[in-house]
Amino acid sequence: MSAHFRASAVASEVPPKISTCGLMSERPWITIVGLGEDGLDGLPSASLRALEMAEVILGPKRHIDLLGARPQRMIVWPVPFNDGLALLRKEKGKDVVVLASGDPFWFGAGSVIARHFDPDEWRAFPGPSTFSTVANRLGWLLETTICLGLHAAPLSRMRPFLTAGAKAIVLLRDGAAVLECAQFLTDAGFGASSLTVFEAVAGPNEKRTCFGAHEPPENSFAHPVCVAVNIAGSGAVVPCASGIPDAFFETDGVMTKRSIRAVTLSSLAPRAGECLWDIGGGSGSIAIEWLLAHRSCSAITIEPRADRVALISKNAAHLGVDRLQIVSGSAPEAMTDLPLPDAVFIGGGLSAVMLADLQERLPKGTRLVANAVTFEAEALLIDLHSRKGGELIRLDVSHAKPLGHKHAWDAAYPVVQWSGVL
């Protein structure tokens, strides 16, 4: 069975919209059509019918040009993308098609439209994604291939996935980003990686170029472009386990060290889609590792010192978790109007006032982990344990260090940790 026939079968079998009361609803006025570089030739029958019935077609100029001359009113979607939402809303009451690349809900425009319009206002007919097309070109298992959309995101988002033997397909903003990607890999110690650049994939002008990251070609590349990376090299690999080496973070000395951090992350127990408040961010290590746990996790760190805010931002960017939200201010005042968390970590500034504020502010069932070094903070956690239960532990960590010509244990300050549910 051909890929075109399969796509046609899937799209033509898309069920009609069903309202929340379980009754059939009218056809939505917005149809999102996934379009490939092969234009109309690659569209399944349902997408073609949607285009025929449309009164208005909106899309990037590149996509509109792929359709050729048509009787409908054509509107070029502006840049930045969000500026086009108002244009789309003005067309309500008409049959409107919005053109998107490939699969609109895989690093595509679909998610933005879904956020701004009601579920009964839109439907989507996807086409083959660039990821699936490139994986099929190269014979790569898509389920084990890292897929990243970096049209408007920094290349550093690749950092957590860089390990020898891994494969990645990366969508890039333009041709210039190809050489930037090669340089990024080289700077990270993965210059031995091989890159396959696809221009206008699946279209009549498709072009493929292969080269090593450390020896990029002098020729330029044209948008739309993606790069398939066979990762190789001896750069530092970000571990998947909690408690990554301290060397991954830049610090002014205030940071939850690796051993304590590993236990702390285990106590916080990040789960997919959850949000963390990290109070007293320091170097940002706890919030950053929370985000490394899963791509759908979110985190907000609250830090009163401007120099440490800059340090947290730098560490987050270096480790590819630029989505970390940093609030400059002191808790509890700075916590007003923040999205509510699923878990909270207190790494600095623990006080009775803060604990009382959190118990009043946060929903019942929110997880809390607090670390204490001083007697005064320890006393607060002992009292919290007596009132709330939970788990109270003391962590003593020593490291072997030279002592003359021999070695001895060098003990860090013990840390008392309380973990439980508010």
Side-chain angles (χ1 to χ4, degrees):
M1 183 183 290
S2 70
H4 175 73
F5 183 84
R6 286 198 302 271
S8 301
V10 171
S12 63
E13 293 170 6
V14 173
K17 285 279 182 177
I18 300 177
S19 67
T20 54
C21 63
L23 300 175
M24 302 295 288
S25 66
E26 295 182 0
R27 180 164 52 84
W29 63 277
I30 301 172
T31 301
I32 309 168
V33 171
L35 188 67
E37 290 301 306
D38 49 359
L40 294 173
D41 290 341
L43 288 181
S45 57
S47 298
L48 290 171
R49 284 198 301 272
L51 283 170
E52 290 170 1
M53 297 174 64
E55 300 170 76
V56 181
I57 299 175
L58 288 86
K61 183 179 185 305
R62 177 173 61 86
H63 289 150
I64 287 178
D65 289 345
L66 288 171
L67 297 183
R70 298 189 67 85
Q72 294 95 341
R73 185 158 55 92
M74 313 287 272
I75 300 175
V76 175
W77 197 287
V79 176
F81 185 85
N82 280 354
D83 289 353
L85 296 172
L87 295 179
L88 176 58
R89 199 171 293 281
K90 287 180 181 178
E91 303 301 327
K92 187 170 183 178
K94 304 181 181 72
D95 276 321
V96 180
V97 163
V98 176
L99 302 176
S101 295
D103 186 339
F105 283 89
W106 203 352
F107 295 109
S111 61
V112 180
I113 293 174
R115 283 198 304 269
H116 288 85
F117 293 87
D118 293 335
D120 60 354
E121 292 186 275
W122 60 269
R123 60 178 178 171
F125 294 153
S129 70
T130 299
F131 300 115
S132 60
T133 301
V134 169
N136 278 271
R137 292 279 195 277
L138 298 175
W140 288 4
L141 285 174
L142 195 56
E143 64 266 28
T144 59
T145 299
I146 301 155
C147 297
L148 297 172
L150 303 183
H151 307 91
L155 290 167
S156 60
R157 289 199 183 174
M158 296 175 64
R159 189 64 188 87
F161 307 103
L162 296 183
T163 183
K167 292 179 171 63
I169 299 173
V170 185
L171 310 183
L172 298 173
R173 70 174 187 276
D174 55 28
V178 173
L179 300 185
E180 293 171 14
C181 179
Q183 188 62 54
F184 173 80
L185 290 166
T186 301
D187 292 344
F190 295 91
S193 301
S194 60
L195 280 66
T196 303
V197 180
F198 288 86
E199 299 170 75
V201 67
N205 298 317
E206 178 179 323
K207 184 178 178 182
R208 187 188 307 193
T209 306
C210 303
F211 60 91
H214 66 287
E215 48 184 5
E218 294 183 359
N219 58 291
S220 59
F221 300 95
H223 179 74
V225 64
C226 83
V227 59
V229 187
N230 201 332
I231 301 170
S234 55
V237 176
V238 180
C240 294
S242 298
I244 68 176
D246 294 342
F248 278 104
F249 301 98
E250 188 175 322
T251 179
D252 60 0
V254 177
M255 181 177 74
T256 304
K257 297 299 191 292
R258 179 181 186 178
S259 300
I260 303 299
R261 191 176 347 112
V263 176
T264 301
L265 265 295
S266 177
S267 298
L268 285 167
R271 304 164 191 167
E274 288 193 329
C275 175
L276 171 75
W277 281 5
D278 176 15
I279 301 175
S283 300
S285 60
I286 293 292
I288 288 170
E289 285 218 45
W290 172 279
L291 293 174
L292 287 173
H294 199 276
R295 281 196 272 179
S296 66
C297 287
S298 60
I300 302 168
T301 187
I302 302 162
E303 172 54 53
R305 286 180 45 170
D307 57 336
R308 288 180 180 162
V309 166
L311 192 59
I312 294 169
S313 180
K314 185 176 181 180
N315 283 329
H318 172 67
L319 283 162
V321 290
D322 54 290
R323 67 187 187 277
L324 172 62
Q325 181 180 344
I326 306 171
V327 176
S328 180
S330 299
E333 296 80 11
M335 299 187 299
T336 304
D337 297 328
L338 296 180
L340 291 175
D342 300 283
V344 176
F345 171 64
I346 306 176
L350 179 65
S351 68
V353 171
M354 182 184 296
L355 288 173
D357 181 276
L358 288 172
Q359 290 182 73
E360 181 178 346
R361 183 190 302 269
L362 299 179
K364 186 177 180 180
T366 303
R367 306 193 302 280
L368 173 67
V369 175
N371 289 353
V373 175
T374 66
F375 291 156
E376 292 77 9
E378 181 179 329
L380 290 173
L381 296 186
I382 292 172
D383 175 67
L384 186 61
H385 180 253
S386 68
R387 294 184 291 106
K388 290 283 188 179
E391 185 175 21
L392 187 67
I393 60 175
R394 176 175 152 136
L395 304 169
D396 292 273
V397 178
S398 298
H399 296 273
K401 287 193 175 181
L403 183 62
H405 297 295
K406 299 183 180 181
H407 290 77
W409 293 112
D410 181 41
Y413 285 117
V415 174
V416 173
Q417 180 184 99
W418 182 84
S419 58
V421 176
L422 292 177

